[in-house]
Amino acid sequence: MRHAALLAAAALIGFGAASAQAQPDYYLYVAGGATTDGDMAETPEGVDNDLDGRDNLALGSVLVADVDTDAKTVTNWRRAGNLLPDEHPDTGQYLHWGYLFNSVNYYNGRLYVGPATRFSASDHDTVSPTMIAWADVNPDGSLGEFQLSDPFPEPPSTQRIGGTAFLEVNGSAYVYILGGAQDEPGYTDRILYAPIDATTGEIGPWDTAGMTIPTTDWFNPAIGIDGTLVHFSGNQPDVPADDRSMRVDLITPEANGDLTGAWVSETYSTDYSRRWEQAVMTATDPVGDTFLYLIAGSGAPRDLVYYTKFEFGLTSVWENGTPLPEERGRPAGAAANDMIVMPGGSSTTGASAGVTTVFIGTVAEGGQVTWEESPEPMMQARSYAGAAMAPVEDAVSVPEWMLY
């Protein structure tokens, strides 16, 4: 396993700095992903091969920053401590944590990461982690030791780069995995779901839902909102070109978490034949209305922003919002209150084109977003990562951590 003693010592150095700063109300996490250079002999700026768990392009660390949703600032980037697990619990194969655009989530005091996909073959026997890792979020923003869920049931042998959603159903929490790629030819329409222990955060046994997604798909994001599971069409590789659409699908799970009813589906836009790997999040405007956002991704243009006021049935109109300041592929994104943050991503769609920029969006009444670039970038370029916001639950004095 990766350098546990070294990380522990580094964490003590980082947390020991005395210079305090203003109290954040959220932490922003950016997990896994890729660095900008596959040559291990030339370490990219800001990357430490040991502390970031770097293997070829892959990164195993999690970055964290302080967020002030009133001032609209993202500051004090540092590593969150523990690395993501690097060894498959059953096979011992090496794990890469990439293609995490929709698979990093915060729920009930914990950060959940996965499923993920390896970037490429290397000198390790690498494998995609078709499971979910989770860790406690500490009051100072650091992360506890990561735990792993059971691997997904087979067949198919893998299920990755699909939608991941967390949803409370009648007071109980479930995680859903919707569609994705598999090692066998083609893609899957399977939906897996599992309960989440309210006390420990442990993900329980996986089960297959009674319903599938409307068609086999990958790069198809999902989100849970107010008891509703919301799924968006993605790359749609098995759908004939003239039948593809930019579609949103909604369903209400049963009390036991299963899906047995019919999807409510409609086209959210006809601007293009399809869009995929969008960043998906909700944010609230100044009067408290909830808006659903689809931002960046693939399928030109990659700076596109769609949004709508969320209502089950989606009778409201989807709007074209103000574009991002620059195009981003393989995006990570997260939101809290009336603030949206888009950290890093790729200036093209390639892993080696990762950037350090952080775009901050302010939500106005009615859902429109105004964008600006943060004066403080990420400490290292990352693409193919995922992001989530976690509320600061306790009043703590957050130190100006050293970049260990």
Side-chain angles (χ1 to χ4, degrees), residues 3 6 11 28 69 74 82 91 120 141 215 282 290 305 317 320 324 330 342 366 378 400:
H3 308 283
L6 179 60
L28 171 67
T69 60
V74 180
N82 286 298
T91 69
S120 62
T215 185
T282 60
T290 298
V305 176
V317 176
N320 279 325
L324 292 176
R330 307 293 195 243
M342 300 291 293
M378 284 198 298
E400 195 75 46

Side-chain angles (χ1 to χ4, degrees), residues 167 169 226-229 250-254 258-263 312:
L167 184 63
V169 181
D226 296 335
T228 301
L229 184 60
L250 301 93
I251 196 169
T252 301
E254 301 295 329
D258 196 5
L259 306 176
T260 60
W263 290 96
F312 184 82

Side-chain angles (χ1 to χ4, degrees), residues 1 10 32 65 85 125 176 181 204 224 256 297-298:
M1 303 299 286
D125 182 15
Y176 294 85
N256 64 356
S298 292

Side-chain angles (χ1 to χ4, degrees), residues 323-398:
L324 292 176
E326 298 174 6
E327 290 191 354
R328 288 292 179 264
R330 307 293 195 243
N337 301 334
D338 62 345
M339 180 178 178
I340 299 172
V341 183
M342 300 291 293
S346 173
S347 59
T348 60
T349 56
S352 62
V355 295
T356 62
T357 54
V358 178
F359 296 142
I360 297 173
T362 300
V363 178
E365 184 174 350
Q368 183 63 276
V369 180
T370 300
W371 297 100
E372 62 180 10
E373 184 174 335
S374 172
E376 184 173 334
M378 284 198 298
M379 57 186 281
Q380 56 191 218
R382 290 206 182 200
S383 62
Y384 290 60
M389 292 252 215
V392 177
E393 301 290 357
D394 301 311
V396 297
S397 179
V398 178

